[in-house]
């Protein structure tokens, strides 16, 4: 192989490596975990997608302000007991499940 061919091959390898790193970063963002902490210190680790269903929590995580939650991925919910938060989380998970698995529900 000539010197030019070797350089081109190395450039292609670098490009491929950059693309792979970008894909890994995107996967990491897609699988990002957010921790909700109740006033009695019960912790719930959830996918960011699930947490973003709440308008308030979405504002904390993605808003223009400098919310601490945006940087840490931990949301302290000082007015909510763990037992109540557990049911809220289960309800949200159920809604997601139903949206993915049931196209139409008739009552």
């Amino acid at each position: 192989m000539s010197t030019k061919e070797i350089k081109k091959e190395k450039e292609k390898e670098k490009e491929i490596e950059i693309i792979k790193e970008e894909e890994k970063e995107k996967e990491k963002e897609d699988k990002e975990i957010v921790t909700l902490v109740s006033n009695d210190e019960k912790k719930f680790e959830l996918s960011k997608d699930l947490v973003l269903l709440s308008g308030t929590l979405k504002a904390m995580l993605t808003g223009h302000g400098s919310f601490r939650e945006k940087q840490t991925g931990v949301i302290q919910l000082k007015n909510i007991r763990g037992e109540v938060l557990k049911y809220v989380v289960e309800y949200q998970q159920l809604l997601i499940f139903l949206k993915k698995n049931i196209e139409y529900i008739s009552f």
Side-chain angles (χ1 to χ4, degrees), residues 1-90:
M1 259 199 250
S2 71
T3 308
K4 287 182 181 181
E5 290 174 331
I6 293 172
K7 284 183 181 180
K8 283 185 180 182
E9 189 67 32
K10 285 185 180 182
E11 286 177 9
K12 284 183 183 180
E13 288 175 6
K14 284 182 182 180
E15 288 176 13
I16 291 171
E17 191 173 311
I18 290 170
I19 291 170
K20 285 181 180 179
E21 286 178 21
E22 289 173 352
E23 288 174 355
K24 284 181 185 178
E25 192 64 33
K26 178 146 176 49
E27 284 179 21
K28 182 181 175 186
E29 288 174 9
D30 291 344
K31 295 179 181 178
E32 194 170 340
I33 300 295
V34 175
T35 304
L36 303 181
V37 183
S38 65
N39 64 3
D40 52 356
E41 297 299 316
K42 293 195 176 160
K43 296 180 181 182
F44 299 86
E45 291 186 345
L46 306 167
S47 72
K48 188 173 182 179
D49 293 338
L50 181 67
V51 175
L52 292 178
L53 293 175
S54 163
T56 301
L57 300 179
K58 182 177 182 177
M60 291 175 163
L61 293 172
T62 63
H64 297 293
S66 59
F67 289 107
R68 173 184 50 202
E69 294 84 359
K70 186 176 184 179
Q71 295 153 357
T72 63
V74 177
I75 300 176
Q76 296 280 339
L77 300 167
K78 296 180 181 180
N79 295 329
I80 301 177
R81 292 179 300 141
E83 187 175 333
V84 173
L85 186 55
K86 174 186 168 198
Y87 289 116
V88 171
V89 168
E90 288 175 356

